[in-house]
Amino acid sequence: MRTFVNQKFLFKMKPDLFQAPDYYLLDDLLTEEHKLVRDSARAWVKKEVSPIIEEYAQKAEFPKQIVKGLAEIGGFGPYIPVEYGGAGLDQISYGLIMQEIERGDSGVRSTSSVQSSLVMYPIWKYGNEEQRMKYLPKLATGEFIGCFGLTEPDYGSNPGGMVTNFKDMGDHYLLNGAKMWISNAPFADIAVVWAKDESGRIHGLIVERGMEGFTTPETHNKWSLRASATGELIFDNVKVPKENLLPNKSGLGAPLGCLDSARYGIAWGAIGAAMDCYDTALRYSQERIQFDKPIGATQLQQKKLAEMITEITKAQLLTWRLGVLRNEGRATTAQISMAKRNNVDMALTIARDARQMLGGMGITGEYSIMRHMMNLESVVTYEGTHDIHLLITGMDVTGFPAFK
Ligand SMILES: Cc1cc2nc3c(=O)[nH]c(=O)nc-3n(C[C@H](O)[C@H](O)[C@H](O)COP(=O)(O)OP(=O)(O)OC[C@H]3O[C@@H](n4cnc5c(N)ncnc54)[C@H](O)[C@@H]3O)c2cc1C
């Protein structure tokens, strides 16, 4: 058992004894490359994230020292082509990396997801060659950290209503407005910002830290994703060079395309958090004696564990199949919604049950469960809320949009 001391906190954290559950022998469905990628991410999380993450979550700080390692395990742009600095991996490898990182912490996975799917992806897909060469290699190594500005104070689930806008001033664009709840914002070097032109059409713009009128105040007092920095993006007459507009796609479909990629990663990531909670609760149930026997020998606790492993196994199958469809270019937005919604809800339910299984110990930082549980309250809300994803499935099967 290690003891961490800093100015404010003195607490002990259990060593990371994680054993990944694979009840249906799903490793048989993975290639050697998938397993290699997964195992190196798993080993890195054990060595570099588990020992420090509780301390950083407690003091509400992103551990910047892990950025280089995140880049090395393929956490920044796993599926971006090698010529732009990415890892050139397939979608299942991408998913497995997200699973392992979120096994450590959803906040760390958020940084990886935002960088990969919400910053590198739009530059790769919607940018021109100069933009790709200028930004992608630096984002892949972590030299640059990016953020993604879509949500506004008055437009969350309905981003198409956004009021952030830019005007064509001849030799530059003039950007005004504000974005809220932006992961990585307080320290990001660049922001991919979605804003309307004078005709009301949505475009992506790359805004760089240091541009006059651009500020990124941090959002404090979060009880969730405490090891991830969240903030606002404020644009007060920011002069954005014309070459910073992403030229190859516009309209709401452009940011939504990025969200497809990020939500797919979240569907895998949530399994990681769930596996960590299950594994911790299983071990605790075998060791904790009450009424002269391990609590794991009682029917009530076995019911919880049996349901957890069943739901994890179903989620693993869902994401694996979705990964195959993504690799074939056949996964639909609605299929991704279903997996994000199901898996995050599954992880949240498991985290709540696992926390109860640890009794009083479950609320402490000695175990990862309460941190996962609180993190997942953000994951169930961001990138489309639980309810909004249900409406997407509802629309897909009935043909009727029920949003308005
Ligand atoms: C920690 C964190 C990090 C985030 N990071 C980013 C980021 O990096 N970039 C970014 O752009 N955004 C980010 N977000 C924003 C996130 O995507 C939004 O919070 C989310 O989309 C929901 O928007 P909202 O909070 O405004 O809630 P609202 O849209 O106001 O929704 C409130 C409630 O109403 C429900 N609701 C809304 N519309 C309907 C409807 N038509 N029918 C039924 N129910 C409805 C919702 O499901 C929800 O339960 C982040 C959020 C958090 C908490």
Side-chain angles (χ1 to χ4, degrees), residues 148 150-151 156-157 181-183 378 381-383 385 387 391 403:
F148 173 88
L150 181 65
T151 305
S157 298
W181 297 118
I182 308 305
S183 304
S378 284
T381 289
Y382 71 19
E383 305 264 357
T385 68
D387 288 341
L391 294 179
F403 298 94

Side-chain angles (χ1 to χ4, degrees), residues 56-125:
Y56 279 81
Q58 292 276 359
K59 63 184 180 182
E61 192 180 315
F62 175 71
K64 287 190 184 153
Q65 71 274 24
I66 65 170
V67 163
K68 192 165 168 286
L70 261 178
E72 283 166 4
I73 59 155
F76 296 147
Y79 54 83
I80 299 287
V82 177
E83 72 235 52
Y84 300 119
L89 297 168
D90 76 348
Q91 290 289 311
I92 291 181
S93 289
Y94 161 44
L96 288 165
I97 292 172
M98 295 301 113
Q99 171 187 286
E100 295 306 315
I101 297 175
E102 190 145 3
R103 208 280 296 173
D105 188 75
S106 306
V108 177
R109 200 270 306 138
S110 298
T111 291
S112 176
S113 285
V114 168
Q115 182 96 335
S116 301
S117 291
L118 302 181
V119 180
M120 296 177 77
Y121 177 89
I123 294 173
W124 173 46
K125 284 285 181 189

